[in-house]
Amino acid sequence: MVGRPPFDGGAEHPSIVRQWGRVAPNDGVLIPATSPLQHVDPQINDMGLDLSFSIDWVQANPARSLILVPSAKGGSSLGSGDWQKGGLYYEDAVARANAAIAASPGAVFAGFLWHQGEADASNGNYQVQLDQMIADFRSDVTGAATVPFILGGFSDIYVGSDPNRAAMRNIVLDTPNRVSDTAVADASDLTMQTDNLHFDAAALRILGSRYFTAFSTISITAPSAVGVIPNQTDVLALAAPSAIGTIPNQTDVLALAPPVALGTIPDQTDLASLAAPVAIGMIPDQMDVAA
């Protein structure tokens, strides 16, 4: 989202946070992140949820830099086709994300921050279009296949007694039940500007932090490069098991039994293999099939 309240004069983006520029002469160039970010239609002094998200990110990841790729268009909708594959804003976001990755050696795409819905309040196809858009983004952005996709909820003030807005909120809140690696930042208790349509500055400070919290439930940081941290377990890499023999006396976790010293039980049966017992030592460096 762009965010429409005037900047509150509080903490700005940390200096390590940059954005992929859009406005000449910095179009397609990494520049410092400032308020407003260079979305499709920023307005002077705007501030968004990116501020507190960035602050929280840097606090949690002091050794990593952060690049934002601002791509929002205020008041845009999925129903118009602009955010569907082939649509104007969808293709712009994909192209800019891929360009930022290509221009940043060692960069890993970390995730999507998405807040939208009011322009689709009467769109009966919103759920289908939203889920398809998420799938398309993950397919078309480099390295995005399983990254977090974080959505934002709606304020009770905005929803009011409008059944269409309530239905939209329910679709957004239910997304993690339909789409893997998604989470929602709750906004039900947040305050609005006098138009009862846009969050005020205080709300956006809170909402940005909630986005980071939601993001962290899926993946706090992108995986480090192999070898950066000795003996690191990279749970996202789905790496091959360790070489046979590198972990002496490895326990077979499928056997659901405590480990025993080699040789203490002659002719031990490997419960995980469902095979006939073999004498200890007949198969040197036996592989743990659970690995």
Side-chain angles (χ1 to χ4, degrees):
M1 65 181 295
V2 178
R4 291 306 188 198
F7 178 60
D8 60 4
E12 254 285 11
H13 299 86
S15 59
I16 200 172
V17 179
R18 294 168 292 169
Q19 65 175 315
W20 189 246
R22 177 187 295 273
V23 179
N26 297 315
D27 186 20
V29 177
L30 278 177
I31 58 175
T34 56
S35 294
L37 291 178
Q38 294 186 1
H39 289 288
V40 175
D41 63 336
Q43 297 177 9
I44 190 169
N45 290 329
D46 281 353
M47 63 172 283
L49 58 85
D50 50 276
L51 271 171
S52 51
F53 180 90
S54 298
I55 293 168
D56 290 357
W57 170 283
V58 170
Q59 183 176 0
N61 304 279
R64 300 187 68 89
S65 60
L66 176 64
I67 297 172
L68 303 174
V69 184
S71 304
K73 172 66 170 68
S76 56
S77 69
L78 270 68
S80 67
D82 286 334
W83 286 103
Q84 297 174 39
K85 188 178 178 71
L88 177 64
Y89 303 130
Y90 175 91
E91 296 298 335
D92 172 77
V94 169
R96 285 171 50 75
N98 285 336
I101 296 168
S104 308
V108 176
F109 191 78
F112 300 91
L113 308 183
W114 174 264
H115 197 290
Q116 183 270 345
E118 66 273 8
D120 280 295
S122 59
N123 177 5
N125 296 317
Y126 185 76
Q127 178 175 310
V128 172
Q129 293 171 348
L130 175 64
D131 294 357
Q132 185 61 54
M133 182 198 68
I134 296 173
D136 289 339
F137 267 137
R138 286 175 164 169
S139 176
D140 291 344
V141 173
T142 302
T146 58
V147 299
F149 193 106
I150 312 303
L151 306 93
F154 302 158
S155 169
D156 286 344
I157 298 172
Y158 167 75
V159 172
S161 59
D162 188 327
N164 288 329
R165 292 178 176 181
M168 289 296 300
R169 175 161 67 179
N170 290 339
I171 290 172
V172 170
L173 293 176
D174 186 59
T175 303
N177 295 322
R178 306 187 312 269
V179 184
S180 63
D181 296 318
T182 62
V184 178
D186 179 53
S188 58
D189 61 336
L190 298 184
T191 50
M192 312 288 287
Q193 297 189 87
T194 55
D195 61 6
N196 288 337
L197 180 64
H198 299 99
F199 294 110
D200 60 25
L204 284 179
R205 290 282 183 182
I206 297 170
L207 186 57
S209 289
R210 289 179 181 177
Y211 263 76
F212 180 75
T213 299
F215 181 91
S216 300
T217 65
I218 302 175
S219 174
I220 296 178
T221 61
S224 300
V226 175
V228 172
I229 303 176
N231 300 319
Q232 181 184 11
T233 301
D234 180 358
V235 296
L236 293 181
L238 301 178
S242 301
I244 296 173
T246 59
I247 307 177
N249 299 322
Q250 184 175 5
T251 302
D252 180 355
V253 296
L254 289 185
L256 300 178
V260 294
L262 292 179
T264 58
I265 306 178
D267 302 316
Q268 182 181 10
T269 301
D270 179 354
L271 297 180
S273 68
L274 299 180
V278 292
I280 297 294
M282 292 180 61
I283 307 178
D285 299 316
Q286 182 178 8
M287 179 178 290
D288 177 356
V289 296

